[in-house]
Amino acid sequence: MIYKKKFKATIINGPSKMDLLTAFAYAYSKEHDFSVTFYMVDEDENLKERLWYKIAGKDGAPLKARIIGISYEDGSGNKFLIEGYLDYYCNKKTDYSVHFTAYYSSFNRKGTAELELNFADEK
């Protein structure tokens, strides 16, 4: 059976403003793969299961992201609401994509994200 799990994560380091905007510009390009990297941790321990460890490891990990949506959050020009997919590998044969939405500040490169993971019941 397939389950959907949502949880929150804290972005402790992310891309520059220019990299974020460039990643969005090439979101659907077949010729250019321009992904950005986010470091996320589960500081609030919203997910104490092994799913988080499959995604980012115990202490967080660099997660490559494809940005499919972006909007300015305020008039500063440095705060964004973003949407995208994080790529990670549960094992060498299976490529999973995790949908995420985030509030992100390119000024301090921090933010919060909500991740949505689809996973199968392991028996």
Side-chain angles (χ1 to χ4, degrees):
M1 179 177 261
I2 302 292
Y3 297 96
K4 187 175 284 192
K5 183 81 172 182
K6 289 185 177 183
F7 58 97
K8 297 194 183 296
T10 302
I11 300 169
I12 57 172
N13 193 8
S16 68
K17 180 179 178 178
M18 186 55 71
D19 284 346
L20 191 63
L21 295 173
T22 303
F24 177 64
Y26 289 107
Y28 295 103
S29 173
K30 301 280 187 211
E31 292 95 31
H32 299 89
D33 178 23
F34 195 96
S35 57
V36 290
T37 303
F38 289 93
Y39 288 82
M40 296 185 188
V41 295
D42 184 20
E43 289 179 348
D44 298 328
E45 296 184 358
N46 293 309
L47 188 70
K48 296 179 181 178
E49 304 166 21
R50 39 190 193 141
L51 292 175
W52 177 254
Y53 299 114
K54 285 183 181 179
I55 296 170
K58 184 177 179 182
D59 299 318
L63 299 170
K64 293 209 174 252
R66 182 168 47 98
I67 305 300
I68 62 168
I70 189 168
S71 63
Y72 286 104
E73 196 276 329
D74 66 1
S76 72
N78 291 310
K79 295 179 183 172
F80 301 94
L81 300 174
I82 56 178
E83 179 181 5
Y85 288 93
L86 298 171
D87 295 327
Y88 80 99
Y89 296 87
C90 179
N91 59 46
K92 293 187 189 309
K93 296 179 184 175
T94 309
D95 175 14
Y96 293 92
S97 292
V98 177
H99 180 258
F100 79 100
T101 56
Y103 165 79
Y104 179 70
S105 171
S106 61
F107 180 73
N108 63 10
R109 298 187 178 200
K110 297 184 186 303
T112 58
E114 181 174 281
L115 287 68
E116 183 177 295
L117 175 65
N118 296 324
F119 64 99
D121 194 11
E122 295 179 16
K123 292 187 177 190

